[in-house]
Amino acid sequence: MSGRPEPTPEEIAALPYRPCVGLMILNRESAIFVGQRLDFRSDAWQMPQGGIDKGEAPLEAALRELWEETGITRDKVTLLAEGRDWIPYDLPANLVPKLWKGKYRGQNQRWFAFRFHGPDADVNIATEHPEFSRWEWSPRDKVLDRIVPFKRATYRKVLAEFDHLWP
């Protein structure tokens, strides 16, 4: 891609997906951690996610991202479930050249659900490389209302995948 602000649909289709993990973190009441993104519109919220480093197993990437994005240590969570399949999403065309140096068309995510056992004081989004300006525990039925539109289909799949975690 040659630095054009908008790549062609053919250029985007030729790009690979970035391998990534997503984390659904549930508190004791089964509300879901969501964070307000620093780098998008002020109403763009999401669950923690991030790339898988070369040679890194998806679960290890998830635990690393847990710490990097939320400040939560692995001893404060229990793994509840791992998604069965990878879930891809495409970026809007105008974001492709702005993210990941234009090398990816979107992300292919492996999702993990964790139960958070600590107090809210154990959450610290003021990390070395912060991604969120604020965070909250969202009721499951309100999560999709806040998620950036291009990720909503992915989040519907994630919520369906982990539906068994709610009574």
Side-chain angles (χ1 to χ4, degrees), residues 33 35-40 46 48-49 65-71 123-135:
F33 179 102
Q36 186 179 34
R37 300 237 5 138
L38 278 172
D39 56 353
F40 284 101
Q46 71 177 44
Q49 65 176 49
E65 289 293 335
L66 176 74
W67 168 250
E68 289 179 2
E69 294 193 8
T70 69
V123 177
N124 178 15
I125 60 170
T127 60
E128 184 177 345
H129 301 287
E131 299 215 10
F132 302 124
S133 58
R134 63 188 180 121
W135 70 275

Side-chain angles (χ1 to χ4, degrees), residues 66-81:
L66 176 74
W67 168 250
E68 289 179 2
E69 294 193 8
T70 69
I72 297 171
T73 56
R74 61 178 69 202
D75 63 316
K76 299 289 183 177
V77 296
T78 301
L79 178 64
L80 299 174

